[in-house]
Amino acid sequence: MTTGAGLAGRSALVTGAASGIGRAVAAGLAAAGAGVVLADLDGDRCEAAAKEIEAAGHPGRVAAAVADVTDPEAWARLTRTARRCFGYPTLLVNNAGVLGGHGLAGVTADEWDRVVDVSQRGTWLGMQTVVPFMHLAGGGAIVNVSSVFGQIGSGAAFAYHGAKGAVAAMTRAAAVELAAAGIRVNAVSPGLVETPMTVGLPEQFVADFVAATPMGRMAVPREIAAAVLFLLSDDASFVTGTDLLVDGGYAAK
């Protein structure tokens, strides 16, 4: 994975970091010289991911933390951890998310609350909590992980579409609001990615999605992480308010 400019010595927070895209982002940040707090609801897997990143040649650059991104107090604890370990957090990746497969008619209130709370509320709380430290530090960069389903319909996953569409809208709103303070806010919208979260998807859905993807395959986490690292880095110093599709051409049809 290539690394972007200006990441060394920075303090970063990555949610949903125990596996998949979040873990790949955290590993890439550590390799680029940043100090990274890996946050996840699954504390054991998060700790294991942090130890693996350290063992890969990045000792002292990672810390693991259990966090429910829907809880403001959890975010306060995360920022305290980041400040104690690496200084004011100036890089934030809101990656935590959960799937919900039902269409409009089948969505329950519990499914709606669970999917929207993690993706939409979690992203809002993350930005609201971390941005004040970016102000103190004189700037920062945020990447929110949305989805190709934030831009197009699929005929299912109604709550997931709604949540990811909101993430993209919040990204644009925050980008305009924070630009003058030197804080850039962007989104990355993956297509289908080989992660533990997608392992349980119906085989026919996966086959149809891959068949409809011009590049003819799913992504792997490092391909999404590379896009995230670019947007966090100084190489993207004039990029804010964008939603970068990393979907193998799926939305271009």
Side-chain angles (χ1 to χ4, degrees), residues 35-36 45 49 51 55 63 66 79 98 120-121 131 136 159 196 203 225 228:
V36 191
R45 290 174 66 193
K51 289 180 179 178
V66 178
T79 56
V98 293
Q120 185 174 345
R121 177 180 170 85
V131 160
L136 291 171
E203 290 185 10
V228 173

Side-chain angles (χ1 to χ4, degrees), residues 115-218:
V115 174
V116 172
D117 272 2
V118 174
S119 288
Q120 185 174 345
R121 177 180 170 85
T123 297
W124 158 56
L125 286 174
M127 291 194 291
Q128 189 178 64
T129 306
V130 176
V131 160
F133 297 103
M134 294 182 176
H135 282 300
L136 291 171
I142 298 169
V143 175
N144 300 320
V145 178
S146 182
S147 168
V148 66
F149 287 153
Q151 299 191 22
I152 63 173
S154 70
F158 186 81
Y160 189 76
H161 280 279
K164 292 302 187 180
V167 168
M170 289 190 295
T171 296
R172 293 188 293 271
V176 172
E177 180 177 345
L178 299 173
I183 300 170
R184 298 183 299 102
V185 189
N186 292 290
V188 166
S189 286
L192 200 60
V193 186
E194 294 179 9
T195 70
M197 191 169 72
T198 60
V199 165
L201 290 173
E203 290 185 10
Q204 191 59 53
F205 171 83
V206 173
D208 291 345
F209 196 105
V210 169
T213 299
M215 292 189 71
R217 64 175 177 85
M218 290 193 286

Side-chain angles (χ1 to χ4, degrees), residues 17-20 23 38 40-52 64 66 195-197:
S19 61
R23 187 197 179 288
L38 288 75
D40 202 280
L41 198 58
D42 189 329
D44 290 340
R45 290 174 66 193
C46 192
E47 186 69 37
K51 289 180 179 178
E52 289 171 4
V66 178
T195 70
M197 191 169 72

